Amino acid sequence: MNPFEMFKNAGAIKEQAEKLKEEIGALTATGSSGGKMVQVTVNGSFEMTDIQLDPICVDNRDVKMLQDLIIAAHHDAMANIQEKIKEKTGPLLSGLNIPGL
């Protein structure tokens, strides 16, 4: 892409970027662990917004296992939201030919 064309289209690119930012903020993804005994939901800002625990995994004698399941579910949710963000930003960023993206 010609750099001068980019400057000419800067307003449109900024508008698209703002719209994309809003869309990414509205994304959510859920990750799970332990056969869905623990489910964690994150948003496009990488904030945990919900956690669901199957009562079977809430055993005060095995808190360490529950902690590990929550961490694993969170990692799964983060990977899922990153994939959704990549899908959403792919079309916009592919036309810019920015190295590393």
Side-chain angles (χ1 to χ4, degrees):
M1 176 178 261
N2 182 339
F4 295 109
E5 286 181 35
M6 269 185 60
F7 288 123
K8 191 186 323 182
N9 298 326
I13 292 172
K14 183 177 179 183
E15 186 178 308
Q16 285 179 328
E18 288 297 321
K19 182 180 177 194
L20 185 61
K21 183 178 176 182
E22 288 178 23
E23 290 175 3
I24 288 172
L27 290 175
T28 62
T30 300
S32 65
S33 65
K36 294 195 175 185
M37 287 192 309
V38 175
Q39 295 184 20
V40 171
T41 302
V42 295
N43 64 20
S45 299
F46 301 104
E47 300 167 328
M48 189 183 310
T49 59
D50 189 35
I51 184 167
Q52 297 291 317
L53 303 174
D54 186 322
I56 198 167
C57 70
V58 183
D59 181 352
N60 62 0
R61 294 170 293 164
D62 199 0
V63 173
K64 179 65 178 145
M65 179 201 64
L66 180 56
Q67 292 168 333
D68 289 342
L69 288 171
I70 291 170
I71 290 169
H74 185 261
H75 285 293
D76 188 38
M78 294 299 282
N80 292 341
I81 196 70
Q82 288 173 346
E83 185 62 33
K84 284 185 176 187
I85 290 171
K86 187 186 293 185
E87 290 172 9
K88 197 62 118 166
T89 59
L92 178 65
L93 297 178
S94 66
L96 297 179
N97 294 326
I98 299 172
L101 292 179

